[in-house]
C-alpha cells in the first residue's frame, strides 16, 4: 500500500501540470501579449506598454487592458523572480511585441 501514495501523488501532480498548461494563453493572442507584459514587469524589465497597446487593432485594445489587469493580479501572488534564461526570453518576446 505504500507504493500507492507516491503513485497517487504523481498522478495528482501530472493532473495539476496539465491544468496550468491549459490555462496559459496561446502565443500570438492579445492575452499572450498581456501575460508577457505582466511577466516582463515581474522580471524588472522596461516595457513600453502604451506602444504595445497602440499597435493593437482597436477592438483588441480593451481585451489587452483587461487581460493585463488579470495577469497583474495573478503575478502579485506568484514569485517575482526571473532567472537569467527567463529574463532573456521575456526580453526577446517584449522586443518582438514592440516591433509589430
Amino acid at each position: 500500500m505504500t507504493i500507492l501514495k507516491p503513485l497517487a501523488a504523481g498522478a495528482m501532480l501530472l493532473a495539476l501540470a496539465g491544468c496550468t498548461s491549459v490555462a496559459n494563453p496561446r502565443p500570438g493572442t492579445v492575452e499572450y501579449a498581456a501575460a508577457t507584459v505582466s511577466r516582463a514587469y515581474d522580471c524588472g524589465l522596461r516595457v513600453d506598454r502604451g506602444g504595445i497597446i497602440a499597435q493593437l487593432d482597436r477592438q483588441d485594445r480593451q481585451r489587452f487592458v483587461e487581460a493585463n489587469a488579470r495577469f497583474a493580479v495573478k503575478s502579485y501572488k506568484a514569485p517575482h523572480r526571473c532567472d537569467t534564461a527567463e529574463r532573456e526570453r521575456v526580453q526577446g518576446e517584449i522586443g518582438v511585441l514592440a516591433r509589430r
Side-chain angles (χ1 to χ4, degrees):
M1 287 250 258
T2 57
I3 195 162
L4 293 179
K5 285 183 183 179
L7 288 175
M12 185 185 303
L13 287 174
L14 285 174
L16 288 174
C19 288
T20 57
S21 65
V22 170
N24 291 333
R26 289 186 333 235
T29 63
V30 172
E31 291 77 14
Y32 184 82
T36 302
V37 166
S38 181
R39 190 61 185 146
Y41 283 125
D42 288 345
C43 293
L45 298 170
R46 297 182 92 186
V47 179
D48 180 9
R49 185 175 176 267
I52 291 170
I53 291 171
Q55 293 180 36
L56 297 172
D57 294 334
R58 278 200 187 283
Q59 68 269 18
D60 292 336
R61 291 177 185 169
Q62 187 60 37
R63 278 183 39 220
F64 175 92
V65 170
E66 291 168 359
N68 192 233
R70 283 192 311 271
F71 286 111
V73 168
K74 288 180 184 178
S75 74
Y76 290 130
K77 298 175 184 176
H80 293 276
R81 296 185 335 204
C82 293
D83 63 17
T84 303
E86 182 180 16
R87 183 180 168 85
E88 289 174 3
R89 179 189 59 78
V90 171
Q91 190 169 24
E93 290 176 8
I94 288 295
V96 169
L97 288 173
R99 288 183 289 239
R100 275 188 180 186

